[in-house]
Amino acid sequence: MLLSFGLTLHRLTGALCIFLLTGLAFTEVAVVLLRYIYGIGFLQLQDFAAYCFAALVVLGIPYALGRDAHVRVDVLRESQSPAARRRVDMAGVLLFLIPVFSLTLYHVWPDIQYAWQIQEGSKETGGLPGLFLVKTCLPVSCVLMLIQGVTILARKGEFLTTETAQ
């Protein structure tokens, strides 16, 4: 059940990232066309592009982890057996992922609460409202990373128990 829940969240995050990337691409093309062909500056559109980019970057992190497409700084990985790789992955989740994203969630929460309390908007006068929604993507990303970490532990743990049983 935990694995299917993690997979469902992963798919939803992937779909949201595709939506954000599409919105970012179309928005940037529109900004360039409006500015350089028609000589029109549209601040709200620029804010929308920035919001899409920020949300895409933050939500892309748990999506990349779920696809096992994140950056690894592990020179010894190529020479490791599959069982050793799983143990290293599990140790990484337990020693780094869970503590770092738990602390990030803990420390960012007061800022998010304040942003929601004042309904924070763009820093620019006349800019797009709703910056508080974009800022909310950071704790959402932290929660998604923690869920991905627990899912990885469950998945890798299943493989380790089946190997020892054989």
Side-chain angles (χ1 to χ4, degrees):
M1 178 165 145
L2 176 65
L3 293 175
S4 65
F5 178 69
L7 184 60
T8 302
L9 281 178
H10 174 72
R11 287 182 179 151
L12 288 173
T13 305
L16 182 58
C17 286
I18 289 170
F19 173 76
L20 289 168
L21 183 61
T22 304
L24 176 63
F26 283 120
T27 303
E28 286 299 331
V29 168
V31 166
V32 169
L33 291 176
L34 286 172
R35 179 178 294 153
Y36 295 108
I37 293 178
Y38 298 108
I40 300 171
F42 196 30
L43 185 60
Q44 290 88 355
L45 207 54
Q46 292 172 346
D47 277 350
F48 181 73
Y51 291 2
C52 282
F53 180 73
L56 179 63
V57 168
V58 172
L59 293 174
I61 296 169
Y63 184 71
L65 179 67
R67 291 186 53 127
D68 200 25
H70 55 288
V71 176
R72 293 187 184 273
V73 187
D74 192 358
V75 181
L76 304 174
R77 189 167 182 87
E78 292 179 12
S79 63
Q80 292 175 336
S81 69
R85 288 180 186 178
R86 283 190 286 278
R87 284 189 207 99
V88 168
D89 287 346
M90 289 176 71
V93 168
L94 288 170
L95 296 174
F96 298 109
L97 187 145
I98 291 175
V100 166
F101 285 97
S102 296
L103 283 172
T104 302
L105 186 60
Y106 175 76
H107 285 291
V108 79
W109 193 252
D111 293 334
I112 302 303
Q113 283 181 319
Y114 181 70
W116 273 85
Q117 185 179 15
I118 64 169
Q119 299 287 295
E120 187 174 6
S122 176
K123 304 281 186 222
E124 303 294 329
T125 303
L128 198 62
L131 182 61
F132 65 98
L133 295 171
V134 177
K135 286 186 172 186
T136 304
C137 289
L138 183 58
V140 168
S141 178
C142 289
V143 169
L144 288 172
M145 285 296 286
L146 292 169
I147 291 170
Q148 286 285 13
V150 171
T151 304
I152 288 170
L153 288 175
R155 194 173 346 130
K156 304 271 183 190
E158 282 179 7
F159 286 123
L160 287 177
T161 55
T162 55
E163 279 181 1
T164 56
Q166 292 175 353

